[in-house]
Amino acid sequence: MSPLNKRLPRELMHNLGKYLGIFLLFLFAIAMGAGYLSAAHSIEVIQNGMHERYQVEDFHFATQFEAAKSSLKAVEEMGCTVYEDFTADVPMTVPGDDRPMNCRLIDAANRNRINQGYYFEGEAPAAPDEIAVDRVWSNNNDVHVGDTLTINGREVCVSGICSVSDYECLMEKNTDMLFNSTTFTIGLVTPDGFQNLAGGKRDYRYDVILDDRSMQLADRTTFEQDAADLLVDKGEVLTDLVDYEFDNKAIFFAADDVESDQVMWQVLVGLLVVIMAFVFVVLTNATIEQESAVIGTLLASGYRKREIIGHYMVLPTLIGVLGCAAGNLVGLTYMSTPMQELYYGSYSLPPYEFSFSPQVFVFTTVVPFALLVVVTLLGLVRKMRFTPLAFLRREIASRSRRNTLPLPERLSFVRRFQLRVFLRNLSHFVVLFFGISFCSLFLLFGLCLMPVVEHYAELLKTDVVANHIYLLKAPLELDGTPEQRAAYAAIEELMSTDDPLSDLGFVKYARALLRTMDIDEDAHPVNTVDNGQSKIAQAEKFSAASFAVDHVITDSSEEITIYGIQEGSRYWSDVDVSGGAVVVGNGLAKKCRIKPGDTVSLFDKYTNKTYEVVASSVWGTSANMNLYMEMGALNRMVDEDEDTFHGYASDEELQIDQRYLATDITPEAMTSSADQMQESFGDMMGMVVAFAIPVYLILVYLLTKTVIDRSSRYISYMKVFGYHNPEITHLYVRAITATVLVSLVASQPFVIWLCKVFVSFVMDRYSGNLELYVAPSLMAEVVAIGAAAYVVVAAAHIWRIRRVSLSEAMKVQE
Amino acid sequence: MATQGQGFLSISNLTKSYGAGEARTQVLKGISTEVDKGEICVLFGPSGSGKSTFLNMVGGLEPADSGSICVDGVDITKLNDHDMVEYRRRELGFIFQFYNLVPDLTVRENIEVCQYLSRDPLPIDDLLHSLGLWEHRGKFPNQVSGGQQQRCAIGRALVKNPSLLLCDEPTGALDYHTSKEILELMERVNREYGSTMIIVTHNDAIRRMSHHVLRLRDGMLSEDFRNEHLMPASELTW
Ligand SMILES: Nc1ncnc2c1ncn2[C@@H]1O[C@H](COP(=O)(O)OP(=O)(O)O)[C@@H](O)[C@H]1O
Ligand SMILES: [Mg+2]
């Protein structure tokens, strides 16, 4: 063992701050990075395994009315098994909460066969008045086993808290932008319970398991389309066709979220690793400079360069190993739960199981550690080309011309001195600037997203041009004669039961049949309720179609709706669609980079058809992801009847037959979806800020500490000459303070720009167009947090300056 | 001008030891002496005899174990931290063997470091001229010779017009000619500014230009006398 090693403990104690800083930097970066990424990876593994393990459907379809057995049989003959999986959405209230909630009833027995569930507490419902509800929803509403819920006016007892694999995410409708785990839950009930609670109400959903479970997406969608065509041929009215992986948001939204968040964290950790490399460079140079006399003496006495390099590698390597170990330990134990909670708090996933990811380990541990070792080694090797004498004379610190810059004498001595400190440490300060920018980026990103989402909610609201946008499953006329209404009421009555003749009795049945005689089969059905002339007059028809538009940055696409509106519309009054014009929502235009004159490709994933339209103008807020064209033009484009329509825009609330109503979009509904978004981002952003502040502290501390350390000898001189500590602080710390504050403020435009790039990159995979808007107050907040963190660092420096001993100056200079 | 018998610096029974237990070494075993205002006082002694230790204690850089050091009637061993700094600031100038200049500051700026401390500093331009550094005032320490660096250090010590100059082997790193130049300069400083000087040195020849000679041996003063006849520094040889 080299006798030099005896110095190691002393070197460590002497540079405790530096090594502690490196240790903590590793600890934080790895604890957060590995903590998050491992949790995300484990969740991904769980999700990827679910399809097999929990018999998750390959796709499902829904029909307007119950499908004939023969139709289902025909589908099964294509090579699959079809499971009847009827659901019913029923109103529900929780004791002590008057918010109306929606409970989607599912036959519990079905969830043993397909899209299997798992009980976290309690058990499956055994009696008609028992129900098992979703874990996330029950958490959000403080509902426990044994509680009583009111569903459709009846009281039911919670028998279990569960999750089911086709509702990993409580997505009420597949067309919703966000999930709703506060007022929407699935409810597993017995068949009798279903009958009691739902009455005759049914959504006819059929889950399909393919014989070939490993079928690729493209083949599967073809299969699905063929099945759909077959069903339509058989006379079924198909209302939904959803592939589990391609477009079932309740299944893939969680996975998508995890995936897109991972991109964000990878970028964050990646940036941090780069900054760490810079810090290592600065610290290695500082060590060599500080140790130059010792190195020179050792070299002169015949030590080999290899031995010296080896010696100076010991401590950084050791600290790196310790930091990596501690970081992984903390990340995988202590941080694991809060990181899981980011997802388990929002998504109904099966119980967490840790899976080790070599990639995460390499990315968060091996790479930073290797960087530390390589950077330190290179730094040492590079400096070893100097002669022993150069070390002895301390000539190894690169003296560039800026150090010998003449400064005008009319500047006060203090100013010149501070400038000298600044010039001497310029390279540190450049790294400091980037370090500060980078940490500010973290902070800004963590802080800005909430206000951005709030702002977004406001915009979403303004984009809903009427108090109600009613989307219909099929055209339904509001206007009609009393005879027509009566005729359709009769049809509703007949359809509300499986066996009308026996259920209604012969007389009622016959009367109903008679009333339907008036129906004109070529005309649209008429609403059974008369909303009154004034309401009918202000309601305005529109048609709509859904398409996918490709994103620009990543390989993903945006689900958009194209509205066919009337020329001179009273609701979209300033959207000019005359003469075949196609108007693009501002958000869509920005996110997918569409300018007037550009051709937009609209992909219909149900039919595999692509339509092309030429954008003529841009309209609406930056959250508007819609397209607008003239109603007739849209109908012609998608090959529908000239007079077909899919909804009403109306300022007045309308009574619309339930069987036809798909959605009622209101401005308030938009706000609550943004609330959801805030909830799901909130914790994550808290993590980012919690990550940014300590990293900021350590980074600024390490980088500015070297400035004090390399000057400690001169600080000692000044003490000898009779400088008081505050005066020395003034000369040295001022220069640092000024640099930090100037960096903080000056980096803001750069940081905002970075943040914009970052946000657009991170957000590309999420739907909607979030515009980064940084309020001046937010910038002030970032600067204030940075400055506050610096106060702590400055206090450490002042303390360090106080500790510089007088004897340092007295040591015979090498 | 040397004025006699004012007892400007009065040291009595000064002791100092380092380490504890077995490793304890008594460096100073009870030193008493008087240094008058305006004197050049030279302190000899073999290497490791405690000369620097003595000087540092007078400079308030190291605490004494026992005894007293009175400067102008004030016992500096009793001063608190703040007053000790004030004492160094008002009364002292330091000159070191290896100059101890700040490498990032120009010659002028190095002197300004101490000018800043004084309420009534000497005019810096005059000082630069008289030290022969005027042409070099914008240069950095590594751009001038050792002698010039030491002159700069002397300028830095002088600029606040201290009453006591403490010089630890001021010529120790310089060649014969440069050493003589520096000694002449110090003699001139003593004459012109009347500053009291304590010079620690190995160089026996310096005794002949000094008013007061001290010799340290085994922790005690083995010699303590005043010279009757002084030889000008320019005539010294060794
Ligand atoms: N800080 C210290 N700790 C321990 N011993 C010291 C310390 N400073 C000086 N010494 C010891 O005190 C003695 C005197 O040192 P010093 O005053 O530097 O001698 P000189 O200047 O006469 O060569 C030496 O033996 C030295 O080893
Ligand atoms: Mg000495």
Side-chain angles (χ1 to χ4, degrees):
Chain A
M1 197 170 103
S2 158
L4 281 179
N5 290 347
K6 296 210 190 80
R7 282 190 70 216
L8 290 176
R10 245 173 304 140
E11 266 172 56
L12 178 64
M13 290 319 290
H14 198 239
N15 295 294
L16 201 59
K18 181 171 95 181
Y19 287 119
L20 200 64
I22 295 183
F23 175 79
L24 288 176
L25 203 54
F26 268 99
L27 180 69
F28 270 106
I30 297 178
M32 299 298 283
Y36 172 79
L37 290 171
S38 305
H41 170 79
S42 302
I43 289 172
E44 254 184 356
V45 169
I46 294 172
Q47 283 170 330
N48 290 340
M50 280 176 74
H51 190 238
E52 282 300 308
R53 191 164 161 188
Y54 296 102
Q55 279 285 20
V56 176
E57 65 187 38
D58 288 301
F59 69 96
H60 74 247
F61 59 86
T63 49
Q64 186 73 283
F65 312 107
E66 187 171 353
K69 294 279 181 286
S70 59
S71 311
L72 301 178
K73 191 130 190 94
V75 172
E76 286 193 324
E77 275 162 10
M78 294 174 63
C80 61
T81 314
V82 178
Y83 296 85
E84 210 174 66
D85 190 12
F86 298 163
T87 62
D89 285 5
V90 287
M92 170 180 64
T93 52
V94 170
D97 186 343
D98 51 11
R99 277 181 303 173
M101 303 206 183
N102 180 11
C103 178
R104 181 158 300 163
L105 298 175
I106 297 174
D107 184 345
N110 278 341
R111 286 297 170 275
N112 293 330
R113 296 184 294 156
I114 188 163
N115 294 326
Q116 291 166 358
Y118 12 83
Y119 288 84
F120 287 85
E121 273 175 61
E123 48 201 28
D129 62 346
E130 285 186 343
I131 191 168
V133 290
D134 180 81
R135 179 183 60 83
V136 176
W137 173 84
S138 62
N139 258 354
N140 288 343
N141 290 287
D142 205 20
V143 168
H144 304 278
V145 172
D147 287 358
T148 303
L149 307 172
T150 310
I151 295 182
N152 237 351
R154 292 166 189 258
E155 300 214 322
V156 284
C157 178
V158 176
S159 70
I161 305 292
C162 67
S163 296
V164 294
S165 50
D166 60 330
Y167 282 95
E168 264 177 58
C169 166
L170 290 172
M171 192 68 77
E172 209 165 348
K173 283 183 289 291
N174 204 30
T175 47
D176 281 351
M177 196 171 49
L178 286 149
F179 58 92
N180 171 6
S181 57
T182 49
T183 62
F184 170 68
T185 179
I186 49 101
L188 300 186
V189 287
T190 63
D192 288 345
F194 198 118
Q195 186 60 43
N196 291 347
L197 296 171
K201 197 166 187 239
R202 292 284 184 286
D203 286 316
Y204 301 100
R205 170 179 152 175
Y206 299 89
D207 301 339
V208 181
I209 297 266
L210 295 172
D211 292 347
D212 177 9
R213 288 283 268 166
S214 57
M215 201 184 273
Q216 290 301 300
L217 179 65
D219 296 335
R220 210 169 53 232
T221 45
T222 313
F223 185 103
E224 287 158 12
Q225 201 52 55
D226 291 348
D229 294 346
L230 183 63
L231 286 163
V232 172
D233 282 350
K234 294 264 174 193
E236 306 295 343
V237 182
L238 213 55
T239 55
D240 218 357
L241 176 65
V242 180
D243 181 80
Y244 90 98
E245 185 186 38
F246 185 55
D247 51 13
N248 191 335
K249 282 191 186 162
I251 294 179
F252 77 71
F253 189 87
D256 250 22
D257 191 21
V258 177
E259 194 187 318
S260 33
D261 290 351
Q262 265 173 306
V263 173
M264 177 186 89
W265 281 83
Q266 277 161 358
V267 174
L268 287 182
V269 174
L271 281 173
L272 182 60
V273 166
V274 172
I275 288 292
M276 278 167 83
F278 275 108
V279 173
F280 299 151
V281 171
V282 169
L283 294 185
T284 309
N285 282 341
T287 307
I288 298 170
E289 206 179 298
Q290 179 193 331
E291 288 284 309
S292 102
V294 181
I295 297 175
T297 312
L298 292 175
L299 281 176
S301 352
Y303 268 85
R304 289 198 200 91
K305 288 180 178 178
R306 200 151 35 83
E307 290 167 321
I308 293 172
I309 291 174
H311 173 72
Y312 286 102
M313 287 300 295
V314 174
L315 280 180
T317 310
L318 198 69
I319 297 300
V321 168
L322 285 178
C324 288
N328 273 295
L329 205 69
V330 173
L332 300 185
T333 56
Y334 186 73
M335 287 313 292
S336 174
T337 313
M339 291 303 186
Q340 286 164 35
E341 266 312 297
L342 292 176
Y343 297 109
Y344 276 78
S346 313
Y347 301 126
S348 308
L349 298 162
Y352 182 80
E353 285 162 30
F354 172 75
S355 2
F356 176 76
S357 159
Q359 288 96 319
V360 169
F361 183 73
V362 167
F363 184 58
T364 60
T365 305
V366 177
V367 170
F369 178 73
L371 264 178
L372 172 72
V373 171
V374 169
V375 164
T376 312
L377 191 65
L378 282 183
L380 284 165
V381 169
R382 209 169 60 88
K383 292 280 179 176
M384 281 303 145
R385 69 195 148 86
F386 288 101
T387 63
L389 212 56
F391 277 103
L392 288 171
R393 290 188 188 143
R394 294 176 167 271
E395 279 166 3
I396 45 140
S398 53
R399 295 229 178 279
S400 62
R401 206 174 304 142
R402 62 166 191 271
N403 286 358
T404 57
L405 210 67
L407 295 178
E409 278 173 21
R410 61 189 159 74
L411 281 179
S412 77
F413 164 70
V414 172
R415 283 281 166 278
R416 268 178 292 148
F417 192 99
Q418 290 166 341
L419 264 174
R420 292 278 180 219
V421 173
F422 176 78
L423 289 174
R424 174 169 153 87
N425 295 289
L426 198 57
S427 58
H428 290 40
F429 287 145
V430 171
V431 178
L432 190 65
F433 179 86
F434 285 106
I436 286 178
S437 306
F438 165 76
C439 289
S440 299
L441 169 66
F442 269 19
L443 268 179
L444 186 65
F445 181 68
L447 293 173
C448 79
L449 223 52
M450 288 298 108
V452 163
V453 171
E454 245 163 72
H455 184 62
Y456 184 62
E458 282 307 307
L459 295 180
L460 282 179
K461 235 168 137 169
T462 26
D463 279 331
V464 181
V465 293
N467 291 338
H468 297 272
I469 305 278
Y470 293 103
L471 278 172
L472 300 174
K473 291 177 179 169
L476 179 72
E477 295 290 350
L478 290 175
D479 208 359
T481 62
E483 290 73 29
Q484 283 170 322
R485 292 194 202 285
Y488 281 99
I491 288 188
E492 291 298 315
E493 194 175 11
L494 290 171
M495 295 194 60
S496 68
T497 155
D498 281 342
D499 186 356
L501 181 53
S502 63
D503 284 0
L504 297 176
F506 179 75
V507 177
K508 270 191 169 178
Y509 178 61
R511 276 193 190 138
L513 278 183
L514 271 175
R515 269 185 279 148
T516 61
M517 300 287 283
D518 286 341
I519 289 174
D520 171 3
E521 268 198 71
D522 292 335
H524 293 143
V526 175
N527 201 26
T528 56
V529 182
D530 186 357
N531 282 290
Q533 265 319 302
S534 67
K535 282 189 181 180
I536 292 172
Q538 58 85 51
E540 188 178 284
K541 287 176 187 169
F542 63 85
S543 60
S546 293
F547 295 105
V549 174
D550 283 341
H551 286 156
V552 208
I553 303 176
T554 58
D555 181 24
S556 53
S557 62
E558 188 80 24
E559 291 286 321
I560 63 108
T561 303
I562 179 160
Y563 285 93
I565 62 176
Q566 298 180 6
E567 252 178 73
S569 161
R570 62 179 285 179
Y571 292 106
W572 289 278
S573 55
D574 45 358
V575 181
D576 181 15
V577 291
S578 57
V582 174
V583 179
V584 184
N586 208 346
L588 182 65
K590 284 184 172 162
K591 188 164 186 180
C592 299
R593 311 230 173 108
I594 301 167
K595 296 182 303 298
D598 287 356
T599 300
V600 186
S601 289
L602 307 169
F603 176 68
D604 182 341
K605 60 186 179 186
Y606 296 113
T607 60
N608 260 335
K609 278 191 198 155
T610 302
Y611 302 92
E612 295 202 326
V613 294
V614 177
S616 46
S617 63
V618 171
W619 178 81
T621 70
S622 64
N624 190 325
M625 305 303 285
N626 303 321
L627 277 167
Y628 303 90
M629 60 194 284
E630 197 272 317
M631 192 166 152
L634 175 62
N635 289 341
R636 278 192 297 279
M637 183 177 89
V638 296
D639 248 350
E640 294 225 42
D641 292 342
E642 186 82 13
D643 65 342
T644 208
F645 62 97
H646 303 97
Y648 290 99
S650 167
D651 274 339
E652 302 284 344
E653 190 175 349
L654 300 174
Q655 297 294 321
I656 291 179
D657 291 346
Q658 279 302 312
R659 217 159 48 80
Y660 288 89
L661 182 64
T663 324
D664 171 10
I665 302 173
T666 62
E668 291 69 38
M670 284 298 171
T671 327
S672 63
S673 71
D675 284 349
Q676 199 65 59
M677 196 159 167
Q678 244 166 321
E679 216 161 284
S680 93
F681 276 131
D683 293 342
M684 179 85 72
M685 292 307 113
M687 289 281 182
V688 171
V689 174
F691 185 49
I693 291 177
V695 167
Y696 181 91
L697 268 175
I698 300 167
L699 204 69
V700 173
Y701 173 72
L702 282 178
L703 289 175
T704 52
K705 182 178 150 52
T706 52
V707 175
I708 305 284
D709 282 351
R710 74 201 307 206
S711 303
S712 66
R713 189 180 188 91
Y714 316 121
I715 290 171
S716 178
Y717 294 169
M718 300 179 80
K719 288 191 173 190
V720 167
F721 300 147
Y723 274 81
H724 287 290
N725 287 325
E727 288 168 328
I728 300 175
T729 302
H730 186 69
L731 290 178
Y732 280 96
V733 180
R734 260 308 162 78
I736 300 174
T737 305
T739 313
V740 169
L741 292 183
V742 167
S743 297
L744 260 175
V745 175
S747 65
Q748 288 297 311
F750 176 57
V751 168
I752 289 170
W753 176 80
L754 266 182
C755 199
K756 278 196 170 137
V757 172
F758 190 62
V759 166
S760 63
F761 187 77
V762 166
M763 287 295 147
D764 196 60
R765 289 185 150 273
Y766 297 93
S767 60
N769 182 53
L770 272 192
E771 280 255 295
L772 183 71
Y773 165 72
V774 182
S777 65
L778 201 64
M779 279 163 63
E781 203 174 326
V782 169
V783 172
I785 291 178
Y790 176 69
V791 168
V792 178
V793 172
H797 290 332
I798 291 169
W799 183 73
R800 168 87 179 93
I801 285 176
R802 290 175 71 96
R803 267 187 2 135
V804 168
S805 75
L806 292 166
S807 62
E808 195 143 344
M810 296 299 109
K811 272 190 241 154
V812 172
Q813 193 155 9
E814 304 80 13
Chain B
M1 273 301 294
T3 44
Q4 303 266 309
Q6 292 186 356
F8 172 67
L9 172 64
S10 160
I11 291 159
S12 71
N13 277 320
L14 193 62
T15 67
K16 178 77 187 174
S17 58
Y18 286 114
E22 291 282 296
R24 186 184 155 95
T25 48
Q26 184 92 21
V27 181
L28 301 179
K29 299 176 179 165
I31 306 273
S32 301
T33 190
E34 299 267 329
V35 178
D36 294 334
K37 198 167 184 75
E39 265 187 353
I40 295 178
C41 174
V42 67
L43 175 62
F44 295 105
S47 184
S49 59
K51 304 183 297 293
S52 297
T53 305
F54 173 79
L55 203 66
N56 290 346
M57 281 161 69
V58 172
L61 304 177
E62 275 190 62
D65 288 353
S66 68
S68 66
I69 304 168
C70 291
V71 179
D72 231 358
V74 179
D75 185 354
I76 64 157
T77 61
K78 304 226 156 43
L79 295 179
N80 64 22
D81 281 356
H82 180 267
D83 290 342
M84 186 65 95
V85 174
E86 281 297 313
Y87 157 69
R88 281 202 296 272
R89 188 180 182 116
R90 267 196 325 271
E91 308 283 354
L92 299 187
F94 283 91
I95 296 167
F96 305 98
Q97 177 177 6
F98 295 97
Y99 334 125
N100 290 7
L101 298 175
V102 182
D104 303 309
L105 300 182
T106 61
V107 163
R108 186 193 172 98
E109 284 160 356
N110 262 290
I111 295 175
E112 282 176 315
V113 167
C114 282
Q115 182 194 30
Y116 175 76
L117 290 176
S118 173
R119 246 172 273 149
D120 182 25
L122 301 179
I124 198 158
D125 288 356
D126 291 356
L127 196 62
L128 283 167
H129 278 296
S130 95
L131 292 168
L133 288 173
W134 181 250
E135 285 84 62
H136 307 294
R137 66 187 184 284
K139 291 185 183 167
F140 289 85
N142 65 347
Q143 296 169 327
V144 299
S145 72
Q148 285 159 340
Q149 288 186 53
Q150 191 61 302
R151 277 190 236 184
C152 174
I154 291 172
R156 181 177 63 186
L158 281 180
V159 68
K160 57 183 183 176
N161 201 4
S163 50
L164 185 58
L165 270 175
L166 302 176
C167 319
D168 198 343
E169 317 222 13
T171 60
L174 299 173
D175 61 39
Y176 177 80
H177 281 289
T178 320
S179 295
K180 267 183 76 171
E181 266 174 49
I182 292 298
L183 291 173
E184 284 171 46
L185 176 64
M186 292 176 69
E187 187 180 53
R188 184 154 60 87
V189 165
N190 173 258
R191 220 174 326 108
E192 286 176 11
Y193 300 106
S195 24
T196 312
M197 292 181 181
I198 301 181
I199 303 172
V200 164
T201 183
H202 273 106
N203 187 343
D204 248 17
I206 295 178
R207 72 188 319 167
R208 273 172 278 161
M209 62 171 276
S210 310
H211 306 104
H212 189 167
V213 179
L214 300 170
R215 186 178 293 278
L216 251 181
R217 174 161 295 161
D218 299 330
M220 306 287 281
L221 285 180
S222 61
E223 284 180 44
D224 183 352
F225 64 89
R226 289 189 166 78
N227 272 330
E228 294 299 312
H229 303 289
L230 294 186
M231 184 182 278
S234 54
E235 291 171 23
L236 296 180
T237 50
W238 62 88

